[in-house]
Amino acid sequence: MNFAQILAAARRADAAYIIDTTKARAAFEALGYTWIGQFKDNDSQAVLTRDAGGAVYLSISGTRFSDGKLGDLFDDITTVPVSLDGGVQVTHGAYDGCADIWAWAKAQVPRGTVFNVEGHSLGGWRATYTPLFLPAAQIGALHAFEPPKGANLAYFQKYSAALARLVIVGNGADVWFGYPRLDGRWIHRPGEMLHLLPTGYRIIDTSAWPGGLDLGDHDIDLVVKRLAVIVAGSARLASAT
């Protein structure tokens, strides 16, 4: 795993929460990105930026509940299935609104643009649905930070190639990473994930997630902090050798 890239994606996912457009633009520009635009409605928010090398990033906000956006919370709790072709099922609330985000994003950039997509919580949930809206050739790096379980096995089997670059990051004993809990059809993508710990990390299969009930661990700022420690430690180790 490239921890520097994961940290950069986490910082973009964090900044994607900022509702005020002027402040959001300033935050992304402070991170070194060129601002393209911001999308927001009653239950969705996302920011589109470009780096110095021309790569395009779609950063999808998580739940803006603390800012009074109840539509986001409604999307979180609406986990009834949406049935798509080939037995594929996704959760209704997180899926709802993705088409609007993607219609806006595609209209801002040239046809055929490759999108790198990230998000935290509800944003990471939605980032996992990227293959439903883009052909594989236009999908770059994908980062889902502390996403709930968003699809059935048929989804991940059908889009396994398109999701090959998906990095899933869980943190500590996060209560929401195991949500929804009562419907066994919903899973994370089978395969490796990064599990951040109070000290260090481990790489495990998503099926080995130990669970947890810690609300405080569901925090993108804490994720950024822990990733920054890992990156700094790696840099010190590299300089020492």
Side-chain angles (χ1 to χ4, degrees):
M1 291 188 174
N2 187 319
F3 285 99
Q5 289 183 4
I6 298 171
L7 174 58
R11 285 174 169 155
R12 292 191 299 269
D14 192 7
Y17 276 97
I18 301 171
I19 291 177
D20 181 86
T21 302
T22 300
K23 292 179 180 178
R25 179 170 185 162
F28 276 93
E29 289 179 345
L31 291 172
Y33 299 96
T34 298
W35 180 264
I36 297 175
Q38 182 189 51
F39 172 89
K40 54 187 173 183
D41 61 14
N42 290 333
D43 68 347
S44 308
Q45 182 170 298
V47 170
L48 203 59
T49 57
R50 181 180 289 107
D51 69 15
V56 170
Y57 301 90
L58 179 66
S59 307
I60 306 175
S61 172
T63 305
R64 302 165 295 168
F65 179 65
S66 61
D67 294 295
K69 302 296 183 180
L70 297 182
D72 297 25
L73 182 62
F74 183 76
D75 285 351
D76 287 334
I77 64 176
T78 307
T79 59
V80 294
V82 175
S83 295
L84 305 173
D85 293 340
V88 166
Q89 291 185 321
V90 295
T91 57
H92 185 279
Y95 177 72
D96 186 43
C98 284
D100 292 335
I101 294 172
W102 279 108
W104 167 81
K106 292 176 185 178
Q108 309 308 307
V109 295
R111 186 181 182 91
T113 291
V114 172
F115 287 84
N116 302 282
V117 188
E118 63 268 336
H120 172 254
S121 191
L122 177 60
W125 205 343
R126 287 173 163 163
T128 306
Y129 295 158
T130 298
L132 298 174
F133 301 94
L134 283 182
Q138 286 182 252
I139 299 176
L142 302 175
H143 291 86
F145 298 96
E146 301 189 295
K149 296 177 287 187
N152 66 352
L153 179 60
Y155 174 81
F156 292 110
Q157 289 174 332
K158 181 173 182 178
Y159 295 107
S160 60
L163 292 171
R165 296 182 64 190
L166 171 64
V167 176
I168 302 171
V169 181
N171 182 48
D174 173 27
V175 66
W176 292 111
F177 193 81
Y179 175 83
R181 300 179 186 279
L182 302 179
D183 190 334
R185 90 187 79 188
W186 306 128
I187 62 172
H188 289 291
R189 184 209 58 197
E192 72 176 24
M193 62 169 283
L194 174 63
H195 184 198
L196 300 176
L197 302 168
T199 303
Y201 67 92
R202 59 181 184 157
I203 297 173
I204 60 174
D205 191 273
T206 55
S207 64
W209 170 253
L213 297 173
D214 194 326
L215 288 168
D217 278 347
H218 191 73
D219 183 347
I220 186 60
D221 290 326
L222 179 58
V223 169
V224 169
K225 180 179 178 181
R226 289 181 172 175
L227 285 168
V229 170
I230 294 169
V231 171
S234 298
R236 286 194 296 271
L237 181 61
S239 64
T241 56

